[in-house]
Every structure is written in C-alpha cells, then in structure tokens.
Amino acid sequence: ENGRWLPSKIIFAANWKINACPINAASAAANGDQVAVAWYTAAGEKARVEIAFSKDAGATFGKPALVSTGQAYGYSSVVLNDGGGATVSWLERGGGDARVLVRKVSADGALGPVTEAAKGDRHNLGYPRLLRVGQDTWMVAGQKVTRLAK
C-alpha cells in the first residue's frame, strides 16, 4: 500500500502446525477490492481445502468455506470470476490415483458442483494451476493445458 508492504495477517486461525517446509502454500486472486484466498490445512481430523473472500482489498475476510470433498492433498489454485466469486482447484486422493477437482464458489460462499478436471499419478499431475484469461479459465496439470467449461 502506497509503495510499502503491510504486515502479514492471519485470514483464519486454524492453529495447524507443521514441522516441515510448507510447499503446499495458499493461492490468492484479486481484482480491485475483491480478493479470494484458498488454502490447504490438516488442522483437526481431516486434510482439506478452504476458501475465504474479502470485499475490502484484504483488510477483512469472511468465514471460510470448505471446498474439498474427500481426503485432500491440497495444492490449491484460485481465480476470480466476473461476478465476484471464484473458481478453485485442488488435488484429492481417489481410488489409488490423484484427481484434480474444480469447483465454483460464489462471493457469499455458496458452493457449486465439483468437477473432475484431471486424474492420474499424484506426481505426474504436478502442481495444478488455474489462470483466468478474458472470459476463459484455463488449468495446467502436469504437462496438459485444459480450457475449463464456463
């Protein structure tokens, strides 16, 4: 802000601690004052991916919404949609393989249906990433680039 970094802040205090180098970082997207942050946590009994929204450029965030549906590996990625909501992807365990799942979430936290965007060996899927270009959302998983349905 005004050419300076502001101090970091906690979006949601899950109190999860890990004794390792965290490669499974959060993903953030912003457009004007609208911000969405998706992250992996293993706090409590279940590994999962959550998302939270801010309407004031990250000064405050609403209550997180649970995005994942099963046992998440994490590696979340998020892009904002035109209506202020977001599309979020993550890796999840599934039948001996890993799956890249995608879900739309409205700005008020309402969850859309889950779509399987890719499936395969966990390591071959790499670190899936979403990218918003114009009206299109693209996903890169492993060495494959996919345009997601609108």
Side-chain angles (χ1 to χ4, degrees):
E1 190 171 301
N2 298 321
R4 297 178 59 133
W5 284 97
L6 297 176
S8 62
K9 67 163 76 177
I10 295 172
I11 294 172
F12 178 74
N15 298 317
W16 179 44
K17 299 194 186 308
I18 181 171
N19 293 324
C21 178
I23 61 167
N24 203 343
S27 178
N31 184 7
D33 286 344
Q34 185 70 26
V35 180
V37 178
W39 66 90
Y40 168 82
T41 181
E45 298 297 318
K46 186 175 182 182
R48 61 195 179 277
V49 172
E50 298 181 340
I51 188 169
F53 291 93
S54 171
K55 295 179 183 177
D56 56 12
T60 61
F61 281 85
K63 181 180 176 184
L66 175 64
V67 175
S68 55
T69 57
Q71 188 68 17
Y73 283 121
Y75 304 98
S76 61
S77 185
V78 65
V79 294
L80 287 174
N81 301 330
D82 291 336
T87 301
V88 62
S89 70
W90 69 97
L91 277 174
E92 198 160 284
R93 292 168 179 86
D97 287 326
R99 304 179 300 158
V100 180
L101 301 179
V102 178
R103 163 178 262 176
K104 290 185 179 182
V105 183
S106 70
D108 64 1
L111 301 172
V114 174
T115 302
E116 183 179 293
K119 185 176 186 176
D121 178 79
R122 157 63 198 104
H123 298 289
N124 290 340
L125 290 172
Y127 303 97
R129 288 286 163 241
L130 297 177
L131 175 66
R132 180 89 169 166
V133 180
Q135 300 296 310
D136 296 326
T137 299
W138 296 83
M139 181 189 74
V140 178
Q143 296 181 10
K144 185 177 178 185
V145 178
T146 305
R147 181 175 166 236
L148 301 177
K150 292 184 180 191

